[in-house]
Amino acid sequence: MKRIKRKLRVDRLILLLLCLLLMVSSLILIFKLLFSKKEPTVVENAQTIEKVQEIGQNASLIEMSDKFAYYISYPKFNKTNIDNKIKSIVDSKIEELKSYNSNNKYSTTSDYQGPILYINYNSYHSFKNISSVLINYEFSIPFTANNEKGVIALNFNLEKDELLSFESIFNPQAKTAFVSNIKDKLSQFQLFDVDLKDKIHDFVFSDNKLILFFNPYEISAGSNGIIKAEIDIEKIDDYFTNTQEKNNPIKIEKPKETINKNSFPIDSSKPMIALSFDDGPTNSSTVRILDILEKHQVNASFYVLGINVEGNEEVIKRSFKMGNEIGNHSYDHKSLPSLSNEDLYYEVQETNRLIKEVIGENPKSFRPPYGAYNGIVKAIDMPVVLWDVDTEDWRSRDSEEIIKQVKANAKQGSIILMHDIYQSTADAVEEIIIWLKNEGYQIVTVETLMKHKNIEYTSDKLYFSANNVE
Ligand code: ZN
């Protein structure tokens, strides 16, 4: 009797285990089906190329004369061949810039209207023996509708200081294979009648992918911009000349968790105003202001000083998560037009780096200390945000006075300037929000204000308000 009971129990146990196994495996199957949609080949218009700088030291060249201006950053590796090659590309673009205009003279003050060249770069270390650099260039030429943009890609063996051609990385069958892999998807762009094989020369390796780039006018109409085609490394394994590369990409650790941003919903058709706060953060008044914004479900822009990032990481993270815009307000609040180009560049880049370490992405916009700018500041690689309503909160330190300034001057599309380092400002914020809401305004970040007013938020413009963009 006992034995039978026990046997029954064992049978039940096995049955239970089998059921469990069935459930788990069907769950796995469902998950696989749900998440296997990722396609091995993606072809798209490369409107924005995510900035990745895994290797190299950042070097910069900034120049402004009455004929041209450039704002360039490029990588250095302390390897003669590689560095010379990169520098020669940069130099040839500068020559091209100079050739655009030798007759006209432009003022070098804030209203500089001449040709500008921007260069920045991405760098990737994807295999032990292959690193890649992607140089992005853009010419902003007066009186032409479209900026001329493009990319130049380089691949090299860093250790050996050796540049690598397509043919040295891939075997002779590779081009045909890659073309047949991407051709169907490329056809969405109405291709010119060209042999695509001849157009494969700009490619990088990143994140287990081979990424091919086609510059404007190269394979289709210029209006398609830069076209990017990504192929999974697994799909091209057989085409490497060096077997070492097969299935052997370096695992690059993703540096930061991605932070999910919330932002409060906005109705584009209704009036809006941007609140902006400079010089912070602090762990007292900034935190009070965030509490108030959260309570009233509104967002604002915060222009952060690089020097204040350390120790206030949690404040910045919380602010970013709430959907606030985190902007760059220089490293330590120097008046930028008085600085050398190198020092100016440091003020901007170092602050970008510090903020990116906290929120995982570069700040979206820049506000120069004291609102002081010249042509070089304007040429910084970010939208430059100023204001049209100055509360002068730093002068009065009086919340009643700050509220009075807002009530007297705020209008549709305004950008209001305050400073989140004063308790008197924090004291004023709640009443300002309530008053603006009662007047029918939605309270938003500068970025949101521009987006909903269909104003492009771009690096070659100054934003005083939604009504005044230069
Ligand atoms: Zn300031």
Side-chain angles (χ1 to χ4, degrees):
M1 191 64 190
K2 249 187 179 175
R3 265 186 75 103
I4 293 172
K5 226 179 178 179
R6 201 168 144 188
K7 192 164 182 281
L8 256 171
R9 230 182 268 159
V10 171
D11 280 354
R12 263 206 206 149
L13 202 71
I14 290 171
L15 200 70
L16 199 74
L17 277 172
L18 274 172
C19 280
L20 218 71
L21 201 74
L22 199 73
M23 271 166 69
V24 169
S25 53
S26 52
L27 266 176
I28 290 173
L29 197 74
I30 289 169
F31 266 88
K32 269 197 176 164
L33 280 171
L34 278 175
F35 294 103
S36 67
K37 283 202 175 143
K38 206 192 89 183
E39 296 210 30
T41 305
V42 176
V43 173
E44 62 189 15
N45 182 302
Q47 280 292 4
T48 50
I49 299 168
E50 193 202 348
K51 204 175 244 180
V52 177
Q53 295 182 345
E54 289 169 357
I55 45 168
Q57 293 162 278
N58 200 323
S60 62
L61 290 170
I62 305 174
E63 182 62 64
M64 174 170 267
S65 74
D66 56 5
K67 289 190 166 63
F68 58 82
Y70 52 76
Y71 194 86
I72 294 172
S73 76
Y74 66 97
K76 272 187 172 172
F77 297 93
N78 293 321
K79 299 281 181 181
T80 315
N81 293 328
I82 297 165
D83 287 348
N84 285 347
K85 179 66 186 173
I86 292 171
K87 190 66 193 340
S88 76
I89 292 171
V90 168
D91 288 342
S92 75
K93 289 295 163 195
I94 293 175
E95 286 311 308
E96 204 179 317
L97 171 77
K98 290 177 179 171
S99 74
Y100 269 112
N101 216 312
S102 44
N103 301 321
N104 295 340
K105 285 195 169 185
Y106 302 96
S107 146
T108 53
T109 57
S110 58
D111 56 349
Y112 177 79
Q113 296 288 324
I116 306 172
L117 166 64
Y118 302 96
I119 296 182
N120 60 52
Y121 70 93
N122 281 10
S123 62
Y124 314 91
H125 187 43
S126 298
F127 295 100
K128 187 174 172 294
N129 297 322
I130 309 175
S131 303
S132 313
V133 163
L134 185 72
I135 294 172
N136 312 293
Y137 61 87
E138 179 170 355
F139 291 94
S140 163
I141 306 301
F143 316 117
T144 56
N146 287 318
N147 290 0
E148 189 206 324
K149 288 183 188 197
V151 296
I152 299 170
L154 291 176
N155 292 280
F156 44 85
N157 182 325
L158 191 56
E159 215 168 289
K160 290 187 182 163
D161 188 16
E162 187 180 276
L163 289 148
L164 301 172
S165 64
F166 185 94
E167 286 72 23
S168 66
I169 298 173
F170 294 113
N171 67 27
Q173 291 82 47
K175 276 191 178 170
T176 312
F178 298 173
V179 166
S180 73
N181 194 307
I182 60 177
K183 199 166 186 176
D184 280 354
K185 288 182 180 167
L186 272 178
S187 63
Q188 60 177 301
F189 293 108
Q190 299 202 341
L191 302 184
F192 294 157
D193 186 17
V194 291
D195 190 345
L196 287 171
K197 287 207 295 289
D198 300 338
K199 302 297 174 186
I200 295 182
H201 34 78
D202 291 303
F203 62 97
V204 300
F205 298 93
S206 167
D207 208 12
N208 293 337
K209 289 185 184 71
L210 167 72
I211 310 176
L212 306 168
F213 291 94
F214 302 97
N215 279 321
Y217 304 103
E218 213 170 9
I219 59 168
S220 75
S223 57
N224 290 326
I226 301 164
I227 294 168
K228 185 173 85 170
E230 297 181 343
I231 310 175
D232 262 13
I233 284 288
E234 287 155 27
K235 294 207 83 174
I236 61 165
D237 248 0
D238 295 341
Y239 301 99
F240 281 106
T241 48
N242 185 344
T243 48
Q244 219 179 357
E245 261 77 56
K246 281 192 183 183
N247 252 331
N248 204 14
I250 292 174
K251 295 274 177 283
I252 302 287
E253 269 181 54
K254 289 280 169 240
K256 294 283 167 207
E257 81 220 87
T258 45
I259 298 174
N260 280 325
K261 271 181 82 165
N262 271 312
S263 47
F264 302 113
I266 294 300
D267 181 345
S268 293
S269 65
K270 297 207 171 114
M272 50 188 98
I273 274 182
L275 292 186
S276 65
F277 297 92
D278 290 8
D279 297 2
T282 76
N283 58 21
S284 55
S285 42
T286 308
V287 172
R288 283 184 57 206
I289 291 169
L290 292 178
D291 290 342
I292 297 165
L293 296 179
E294 202 163 50
K295 177 176 160 194
H296 292 276
Q297 308 250 306
V298 299
N299 288 118
S301 295
F302 288 83
Y303 290 94
V304 166
L305 288 176
I307 198 170
N308 287 343
V309 170
E310 197 187 325
N312 291 309
E313 291 89 347
E314 290 312 309
V315 182
I316 297 172
K317 239 183 238 179
R318 176 185 167 202
S319 184
F320 180 72
K321 272 188 197 171
M322 276 171 63
N324 297 318
E325 179 177 11
I326 306 296
N328 177 331
H329 191 42
S330 83
Y331 182 72
D332 55 3
H333 216 274
K334 293 194 183 87
S335 177
L336 301 183
S338 65
L339 298 182
S340 71
N341 290 338
E342 284 71 34
D343 289 347
L344 190 157
Y345 193 76
Y346 176 83
E347 288 280 332
V348 176
Q349 290 304 314
E350 179 61 6
T351 305
N352 277 352
R353 189 185 67 79
L354 289 164
I355 292 174
K356 191 179 177 180
E357 265 185 15
V358 176
I359 65 173
E361 62 181 59
N362 275 317
K364 287 276 166 54
S365 56
F366 181 77
R367 172 172 280 165
Y370 316 100
Y373 64 91
N374 60 5
I376 305 247
V377 173
K378 193 180 170 184
I380 284 171
D381 201 11
M382 287 187 274
V384 174
V385 174
L386 295 141
W387 58 84
D388 67 336
V389 177
D390 187 352
T391 60
E392 302 212 325
D393 59 340
W394 56 276
R395 196 199 300 269
S396 71
R397 311 279 180 96
D398 175 343
S399 56
E400 288 309 314
E401 188 54 36
I402 298 166
I403 295 161
K404 217 171 97 186
Q405 288 299 327
V406 172
K407 288 182 179 175
N409 299 307
K411 54 181 184 292
Q412 152 66 356
S414 277
I415 300 174
I416 297 175
L417 170 67
M418 289 183 273
H419 296 80
D420 53 321
I421 51 172
Y422 305 119
Q423 295 297 346
S424 48
T425 300
D427 290 339
V429 169
E430 184 151 33
E431 193 173 330
I432 289 172
I433 290 173
I434 292 169
W435 184 81
L436 287 172
K437 280 190 161 181
N438 282 339
E439 293 290 302
Y441 295 114
Q442 303 172 92
I443 296 155
V444 296
T445 68
V446 177
E447 187 187 9
T448 307
L449 173 66
M450 298 307 157
K451 188 177 126 199
H452 285 277
K453 296 300 161 200
N454 287 322
I455 300 166
E456 209 191 349
Y457 205 40
T458 167
S459 66
D460 53 357
K461 293 206 163 63
L462 298 171
Y463 298 83
F464 295 91
S465 74
N467 317 306
N468 185 5
V469 177
E470 285 181 6

